[in-house]
Amino acid sequence: MAGNNNNNNNNNNNNNNNNNNNNNNNNNNNNNNNNNNNNNNNNNNNNNNNNNNNNNNNNNNNNNNNNNNNNNNNNNNNNNNNNNNNNNNNNNNNNNNNNNNNNNNNNNNNNNNNNNNNNNNGRNAFNLKLF
């Protein structure tokens, strides 16, 4: 009987040791799973942050492109306005020149008419003296 009791005690101790080992293994597995989950969560967070940064960079680039386009459009409009102003100034100068030429022609015509009238008056006076 004493021998049986010893065997039973040994078996019980072995069973307890096995149970403890199993519990330790389970705890280790749970810890490993938790660590893996934490790592996965961290990776996901990092990926999300990277995606957000990329989106922000893309938005900034788009804004910069839009600003550049607006600046180019403004420059083009300014150039067009300057060209229009230059054309208007040229047209005004041409009109002024034409007006000056017309005035000069009118003055010349008036002078010629006056000269002709003076000549005619002189002839008429001379003719009257003859008669």
Side-chain angles (χ1 to χ4, degrees):
M1 295 296 290
N4 282 341
N5 281 340
N6 284 340
N7 285 340
N8 284 342
N9 284 341
N10 286 339
N11 285 341
N12 284 342
N13 285 341
N14 286 340
N15 285 341
N16 284 340
N17 285 341
N18 285 341
N19 284 341
N20 284 342
N21 285 341
N22 284 342
N23 284 341
N24 285 341
N25 284 341
N26 284 342
N27 284 341
N28 284 341
N29 283 342
N30 284 341
N31 284 341
N32 284 341
N33 283 342
N34 283 341
N35 284 340
N36 284 342
N37 283 341
N38 284 341
N39 284 340
N40 283 341
N41 284 341
N42 284 341
N43 284 341
N44 283 342
N45 284 341
N46 284 341
N47 283 341
N48 284 341
N49 284 341
N50 283 342
N51 283 341
N52 284 342
N53 284 341
N54 283 343
N55 283 342
N56 284 343
N57 284 342
N58 284 343
N59 284 343
N60 284 342
N61 284 343
N62 283 343
N63 283 343
N64 283 343
N65 283 343
N66 283 344
N67 284 342
N68 284 341
N69 284 343
N70 283 343
N71 284 343
N72 284 343
N73 283 343
N74 283 342
N75 284 342
N76 284 343
N77 284 343
N78 284 343
N79 284 343
N80 284 342
N81 284 342
N82 285 342
N83 284 342
N84 284 343
N85 284 343
N86 285 342
N87 284 342
N88 284 342
N89 285 342
N90 285 341
N91 284 342
N92 285 341
N93 285 342
N94 285 342
N95 285 341
N96 286 340
N97 286 341
N98 285 341
N99 284 343
N100 286 341
N101 286 342
N102 285 341
N103 285 341
N104 286 341
N105 285 341
N106 285 342
N107 286 341
N108 286 340
N109 286 341
N110 285 340
N111 287 340
N112 287 340
N113 286 340
N114 286 340
N115 287 340
N116 287 339
N117 286 340
N118 287 340
N119 289 340
N120 286 339
N121 286 341
R123 284 195 196 94
N124 288 339
F126 180 74
N127 286 336
L128 286 177
K129 283 180 187 176
L130 288 181
F131 293 103

